[in-house]
Structures are given as C-alpha cells and as structure tokens.
Amino acid sequence: MFPASEDDILALVNRHFPEDHPSLSLGRGDDCAVMLPRGPLAVSTDIFAEDAHFRRSYFTPYDIGWKSLAVNVSDIGSSGTVPTGFSIGLTLTGKEDIDWISQFCEGMSDLSLRFDLAISGGDLARSSLLNICITAWGELPSALPLGLRRGVAQEGDVLFISGRLGLARLGLTVLENAVRKGADQEKKQWPDACSQHLRPMPLAMEGRTLGDFAVKKGLQDRIGLMDVSDGLARDLPRLLASQKSGLGADICICEEDIHPEIRLWCQEKGHDAAAFVFEGGEDYALAGTCPREHWEDIAELLSTFSVPFLRLGTVKKGNITLNGKGLLSSGFDHFVS
Amino acid sequence: MFPASEDDILALVNRHFPEDHPSLSLGRGDDCAVMLPRGPLAVSTDIFAEDAHFRRSYFTPYDIGWKSLAVNVSDIGSSGTVPTGFSIGLTLTGKEDIDWISQFCEGMSDLSLRFDLAISGGDLARSSLLNICITAWGELPSALPLGLRRGVAQEGDVLFISGRLGLARLGLTVLENAVRKGADQEKKQWPDACSQHLRPMPLAMEGRTLGDFAVKKGLQDRIGLMDVSDGLARDLPRLLASQKSGLGADICICEEDIHPEIRLWCQEKGHDAAAFVFEGGEDYALAGTCPREHWEDIAELLSTFSVPFLRLGTVKKGNITLNGKGLLSSGFDHFVS
C-alpha cells in the first residue's frame, strides 16, 4: 500500500517517535521545535544518500533508518558526549510504500531509543533518489566547552582506537561482490563484516566516558578524539593536524588485533591485512590521542565496554608508518573517482 | 574548471564563510561544531531539492544558495526570533564547476551576512540530483521558552499577515511557462513575482519584533505565528489548529491589497485574484493571530518594516470564508500529484 500524502507519512513517523522529550520545550509539529540546552551543544550534520552511501539492493529499509542516524550519533560521540536529539531531512522517491517507511522508522527508532534521542522534526521532499540528511546535537559538560577535538596531540602521546577498523570495508566489499555476482550466500560467510557495514553501533557512550575523564583530569586540551569515517589512513592526519603540526605516528597493527573475518579474507585474496584495516572506511570507530601517563586509566575505562579497543602506537614528528613501513594511501573522497 | 576534490569544495566554502562566530565555541573543521546557547533554541530543518523545489533552468546558482537558506530563516523567524546559525547537507551531482559553487556560496553568504549567521559545518555528498538540506537555529528570549507557535488563537482574535501572498505563486507560474514556451522575455513583465519566487526575503526581523512584543506584554501564549510556505489555504487551518479547535476565520482580501502584477495577470487570464492569493504557495510570509485589543500596537510595529502587512480578518468558530465565500482548496502536497 502506497502512502497517499505527506500527512500519512507524518502519521507513520508519529507512531514510531514520541512527539515530546525532556530536552524539548516544544516538540514536533510547529515551524520550529524548541530545545532547552543546559550547556554547550555539539552539533553535526551528515548525509546518507542512495548510491553514494548505500544501495537498496542490500540495505534493508531498517538498515537505512539505523545507519543514517548512526553516522551522526558517532560524530557527537567523538566530541565527548552522547546526543540528545536530531532532526531529519528525508527525500523519498515516492516508490516507498507504507511498509518500507515503517521499517525505515523502526531502524531509526531502535537506535534512537538506545540513546533516548528527541526527534525535533524535519522536512519531507520527493526526488528521484533517496537522500537522508540528519543534524544531531548533544549537550556537553560546561567544563568541556569545545568538546573533545582534533589537533591536540603532542609528540610522545599514545594513539588509540575504540571500535573495529577495516570490518565495515570488508562488509562493503563482500556486499558489492554479492550484488555483482548475484551470490547472496557469500554474505553468510562474513556475518560480522556485513553487519558492521549495514548496522554500525556508534560509540557515543565510549566518547562520553572519555569526555568525562578529560573533565575530571583537567585534560580538555590534551585528549584528542575523532570518529574514523573515511578510513584511518585518511582520518589520522586530521586527528594529528599533521599539515600544521608536522606530527605523524608509528603504528602497529598486529595479526591478533585483526578481526578473524578480515584475516581470513585477506589470506584468501593475498592482501596485506594490516594495510586493509588501516585503509578501512566507514569504521565509525573513535580514534584518540592522550598523554602517555594517562593511557592506563583510559585503557581501563575502555575495557568496560564490549567493543574492542587498541593502543595503536605513538605520536611522533614526521611521517605515519604502519608496522615499520611508510604510507601513501589517502582514503576515500566522494568527488574523486 | 571542475572541482577536483572535496577539499577544493571546502576551500571555496571557507572563502565565503568565516570559520568562527561569536555563537560558536568551536567552529567548522572538526567532527562537531560547538555552540554556546544562552537561552531556548528554536531549530528547524528544510530540504531544497532539484525538481522538487527548484529547477536549474531558471534558478541561478546564486538563487539556489539564497533560497535554500531563506526558507529556513523564515521558519526561525516565525518562532519569534532571528537565527544565529545553520548547518548544511549539500548533495552535488559532480557537474557543478568551481564558478557554479562560488555563486551558490555567494547567494547563501549574502543572506547569511544580513542575519549575521554562523555556518557550523555540514556534509558533502555526490548524487544524481542537487539536494540541499539546511538545519537552522535561533536563540529565543528565556521568557519565550516555546517561541511563538500555532494553535493559540481564540474566537475574535485578529488574523494578520506580514509579507506578500500569492506573488511567489505567480513567479513560479511565469517561470514555468517561460521554460515551456522558451519565452524568456515574459519574465521581464513580472519582475516582482519572479524575484519573490527566486529570492524571497525571510521575515525573521519581523518575527523577532513580534516575539519581543509578546514577551513585553505577557502574550507568549496569545500571539500565534507561523510561516506560510504551502499557501494560506493549507497553512491557515494549521495556524488555527482547526481540526482540534474548530476555529475558522472570515477573511477579506480586497483588490487594493493585491500586488499589481497579480491583479494584472489574473485579469488577463480571467482568474479570481483573491482566490489566487489565498491559495498561493512558497510565500514565506508570516501569518499571525493576536487578541483584538493588541492589533493596533502590532500594526504599528509591522509598519516600521518595508514589507507590507495586512489585517486579514477575524477568527471565529466554524469554516474559513474568503470574501464571503466558503473554501475547498487544500494547497500543495509533495506526495499527491
């Protein structure tokens, strides 16, 4: 059954998302929602567009709803807090039936519930491609008025990661191959990889824990954090502000730190698994830097979460090296083919 | 010359928009920007999509940059304040050259400067259609924690409008006809109409003046305001919350209140000019309701602005009538063809 009008779609949204939320003084349904922030507000916008970020052939509507929000939650997490709300610009093609939209809402709402997010509203339009643009925000402690950010690393700092690198890249590769060959059973061989690509779990709780730790220890300007979305190869120079700072890092990714699916796949294909992990893409992991003397405390905090974490290496002047070798790769750019 | 990479596009954005802004503690360039709101924050999201909201054949890149932001500024204005900032999700097709993107930025930046807006960041993607999704926000006085909103009208209230109704609809009609017939000179006959459609000036200063007045007089819950974007015929029942409240209005739109271009065009085509104005669409005018005893003060405030304003009629129980006749039209819906 096809939705008849904008009002029908809004009725579906209203079934999945409560209109009110403690962080909003005025909820959905007016020209504006009104929020009542109690501190600095981290804000981030991400697009999730058909054929640029996902394909309908292997993303279910649920996956699309989930991931389009997850990529934003991840950004807020990397500033050192959990999000409190979001708004959505949803461009549908008019081919999505009520069932499709319901599942989409369900995926988004399931993630939203995990973080108790307000959906403040948004806009609907019709075009020839699906396009989801979400702006999310999160309240920071007043003692963290800039959030955790990039570019605070110093020589000798520990470089660490929370989350799984390379797994989403393998998922993408497997899913794209399966489409090309029409070989759906391949997906079942690489379940963690496919799931990491389709339904990444954003690490905002981990981010907030690091933000709180920074405040507690007065390290607001000494703990760096970012979300790794374009692959570590591309994002690491951003975290280190390498162009300005001249900083690089010696990175070690050992065999035992690499997810078994990646190891197996790289073995079969004759690829260097560490390089595959390092180039990655869409990891939605958190990469951070901290003074060496605080690493043990941070490691202890990160060990309380179920997602793996890793000391990747040490920040130093000069280039980035991986397992002793210099690096050239530059990660992903939407506008370079 | 074509942009080579995402970084080239970001460099263009940075040339047009300052990175820092007094409302931001952390500007663009990190995963999140951080703002420091001093009060309740009105927030709104709007999509401006190719072939849904504009055509490249008659929208210049400057117009697209201007209007995509204007529609958001208008929403914030209707909550009773001026915006302080915005973020943008920009989906380009890859066909836009540096000149195109520069002009787009110029249009957006010219409007942004008028309201001294921060651009906190955003996201870039590539797809087959242009899609611009903007989220804007504005700080409200702490005594106006819900903003001005819909659904506060009572029987006997004055219904008023600030801005021009119907003119953008005429502009759209003329521009669409010109494309169909290849008759560009027609546009010159209807300059105000075309300009109102291509580069609407959002009435946020007017909105803020009404917000301040509401606070001063303790009328936060008695002055209603919304932006008329789908045409008054469709938006008026929303302003009056007619479904719940059972309120309607007797509206009078006299000949002399109608812009000369609309009068002339309707005369030539044999249309009812008042009905044309009332159905409208994309007006980005502010429609409001207020207790009758405050109308004179409000009229005096609105008369200090250059945009025309009008007492449209009186709120009453029952239907909406226009110049003594009942109404059926329901305005525009993207999902009904």
Side-chain angles (χ1 to χ4, degrees):
Chain A
M1 190 180 149
F2 287 88
S5 74
E6 215 168 302
D7 288 339
D8 292 336
I9 300 171
L10 294 178
L12 271 178
V13 170
N14 287 336
R15 278 224 304 275
H16 282 90
F17 298 93
E19 279 189 42
D20 300 320
H21 190 273
S23 70
L24 299 177
S25 53
L26 185 69
R28 285 199 306 285
D30 221 289
D31 293 303
C32 296
V34 184
M35 47 178 148
L36 291 172
R38 293 158 302 178
L41 207 63
V43 59
S44 177
T45 296
D46 274 293
I47 300 168
F48 196 63
E50 185 171 4
D51 294 343
H53 302 94
F54 69 91
R55 285 191 210 282
R56 291 202 210 208
S57 50
Y58 54 78
F59 269 80
T60 65
Y62 185 101
D63 296 333
I64 298 170
W66 175 283
K67 189 166 177 180
S68 60
L69 179 58
V71 301
N72 279 275
V73 172
S74 178
D75 273 319
I76 302 298
S78 76
S79 79
T81 192
V82 290
T84 45
F86 67 101
S87 74
I88 175 170
L90 177 60
T91 304
L92 296 171
T93 68
K95 282 179 250 160
E96 297 77 22
D97 61 16
I98 283 183
D99 193 44
W100 194 100
I101 298 171
S102 289
Q103 287 178 45
F104 170 85
C105 287
E106 210 177 309
M108 186 168 283
S109 148
D110 278 356
L111 180 59
S112 175
L113 283 170
R114 284 189 186 240
F115 291 95
D116 184 26
L117 304 185
I119 174 167
S120 72
D123 194 17
L124 276 171
R126 188 170 173 165
S127 183
S128 59
L129 277 181
L130 270 170
N131 194 304
I132 299 134
C133 181
I134 289 183
T135 295
W137 47 82
E139 288 173 22
L140 287 159
S142 54
L144 196 59
L146 309 181
L148 295 180
R149 58 201 198 280
R150 312 173 186 180
V152 302
Q154 294 179 9
E155 221 178 326
D157 277 5
V158 167
L159 177 67
F160 63 91
I161 198 97
S162 167
R164 296 184 187 282
L165 295 179
L167 200 58
R169 180 187 178 186
L170 176 57
L172 176 63
T173 308
V174 166
L175 290 161
E176 287 285 316
N177 281 345
V179 166
R180 219 164 19 236
K181 298 186 203 157
D184 243 33
Q185 70 281 11
E186 265 201 40
K187 294 188 217 168
K188 297 196 182 112
Q189 284 185 262
W190 317 97
D192 288 359
C194 292
S195 158
Q196 180 69 30
H197 183 67
L198 297 170
R199 293 189 199 173
M201 176 57 77
L203 307 179
M205 292 306 293
E206 290 80 348
R208 186 169 74 176
T209 298
L210 293 169
D212 289 346
F213 178 78
V215 168
K216 194 174 138 200
K217 299 284 183 179
L219 293 171
Q220 292 93 332
D221 298 319
R222 286 294 287 118
I223 293 180
L225 202 65
M226 78 177 289
D227 100 313
V228 181
S229 53
D230 292 338
L232 193 60
R234 190 175 167 87
D235 283 334
L236 186 53
R238 295 171 174 160
L239 175 64
L240 301 175
S242 298
Q243 274 196 331
K244 276 190 192 168
S245 66
L247 291 174
D250 289 326
I251 292 170
C252 173
I253 300 178
C254 313
E255 196 71 8
E256 65 265 27
D257 300 327
I258 298 174
H259 190 283
E261 289 184 16
I262 300 175
R263 275 188 282 166
L264 184 59
W265 191 86
C266 286
Q267 208 173 348
E268 282 182 10
K269 306 288 175 184
H271 290 319
D272 176 344
F276 185 92
V277 160
F278 185 70
E279 284 161 22
E282 302 219 49
D283 306 285
Y284 303 110
L286 297 176
T289 58
C290 70
R292 191 182 298 223
E293 61 272 27
H294 293 287
W295 169 242
E296 277 186 28
D297 284 347
I298 287 177
E300 204 183 314
L301 289 172
L302 292 178
S303 70
T304 61
F305 293 97
S306 60
V307 71
F309 69 98
L310 190 61
R311 177 180 179 154
L312 269 182
T314 304
V315 177
K316 54 144 207 181
K317 283 273 168 200
N319 293 338
I320 294 170
T321 67
L322 172 62
N323 296 346
K325 283 177 267 178
L327 289 165
L328 288 170
S329 169
S330 61
F332 183 72
D333 185 317
H334 278 293
F335 291 86
V336 177
S337 35
Chain B
M1 190 182 149
F2 285 89
S5 75
E6 214 167 303
D7 288 341
D8 291 336
I9 300 171
L10 295 178
L12 271 177
V13 170
N14 287 335
R15 278 223 306 276
H16 282 92
F17 297 93
E19 278 189 43
D20 300 320
H21 189 274
S23 70
L24 299 177
S25 53
L26 185 70
R28 285 200 304 286
D30 222 290
D31 292 303
C32 295
V34 184
M35 48 178 146
L36 292 172
R38 292 159 302 179
L41 207 63
V43 59
S44 177
T45 296
D46 274 294
I47 300 169
F48 196 63
E50 186 171 3
D51 295 343
H53 302 94
F54 69 91
R55 285 192 211 281
R56 291 203 211 208
S57 51
Y58 54 79
F59 269 80
T60 65
Y62 184 101
D63 296 333
I64 297 170
W66 175 284
K67 189 167 178 180
S68 60
L69 179 57
V71 300
N72 279 276
V73 172
S74 179
D75 273 319
I76 303 297
S78 75
S79 79
T81 192
V82 290
T84 46
F86 67 103
S87 74
I88 174 171
L90 177 59
T91 305
L92 296 171
T93 68
K95 282 181 250 159
E96 297 76 22
D97 60 16
I98 284 184
D99 193 45
W100 194 101
I101 297 171
S102 290
Q103 286 178 46
F104 170 84
C105 287
E106 210 176 311
M108 187 169 284
S109 149
D110 279 357
L111 180 59
S112 174
L113 283 170
R114 285 189 187 240
F115 291 96
D116 185 25
L117 303 186
I119 174 169
S120 71
D123 194 17
L124 276 172
R126 189 170 171 166
S127 182
S128 60
L129 277 180
L130 270 169
N131 193 303
I132 300 136
C133 181
I134 290 182
T135 295
W137 49 83
E139 287 172 22
L140 287 159
S142 53
L144 196 60
L146 309 182
L148 295 179
R149 59 202 197 280
R150 314 174 184 178
V152 302
Q154 295 178 8
E155 220 179 328
D157 276 5
V158 168
L159 175 68
F160 62 91
I161 198 100
S162 166
R164 295 182 187 284
L165 295 178
L167 201 57
R169 179 187 180 185
L170 177 56
L172 175 64
T173 309
V174 166
L175 290 161
E176 287 285 317
N177 281 344
V179 166
R180 219 164 19 238
K181 298 186 202 157
D184 242 33
Q185 68 282 9
E186 265 200 40
K187 295 188 218 170
K188 297 198 182 110
Q189 284 183 264
W190 318 97
D192 288 359
C194 291
S195 158
Q196 180 70 28
H197 183 67
L198 298 170
R199 293 189 199 173
M201 176 58 76
L203 307 180
M205 292 305 294
E206 290 79 348
R208 185 169 75 176
T209 299
L210 293 169
D212 290 346
F213 177 79
V215 169
K216 194 173 138 200
K217 299 285 184 180
L219 293 170
Q220 291 93 331
D221 299 319
R222 285 295 287 118
I223 293 182
L225 202 64
M226 77 176 290
D227 101 313
V228 181
S229 53
D230 292 338
L232 193 59
R234 189 172 167 87
D235 283 333
L236 187 53
R238 295 170 173 162
L239 176 64
L240 301 175
S242 298
Q243 273 195 332
K244 276 190 195 171
S245 67
L247 291 174
D250 289 326
I251 293 171
C252 173
I253 300 178
C254 312
E255 196 71 11
E256 64 265 27
D257 300 326
I258 298 173
H259 190 284
E261 289 184 16
I262 301 175
R263 274 188 284 167
L264 185 58
W265 191 86
C266 286
Q267 208 173 350
E268 283 182 10
K269 307 287 176 186
H271 290 319
D272 176 342
F276 185 92
V277 159
F278 186 71
E279 282 161 23
E282 303 220 48
D283 306 283
Y284 302 108
L286 297 176
T289 57
C290 69
R292 190 184 299 223
E293 61 273 26
H294 293 286
W295 167 243
E296 277 185 27
D297 285 347
I298 287 177
E300 204 183 314
L301 289 172
L302 292 178
S303 70
T304 61
F305 293 97
S306 60
V307 71
F309 69 97
L310 190 60
R311 177 180 179 153
L312 269 182
T314 304
V315 177
K316 54 144 206 181
K317 284 273 168 200
N319 293 339
I320 295 171
T321 67
L322 172 62
N323 295 345
K325 280 177 271 180
L327 289 165
L328 287 172
S329 168
S330 62
F332 183 72
D333 185 317
H334 278 293
F335 291 85
V336 178
S337 35

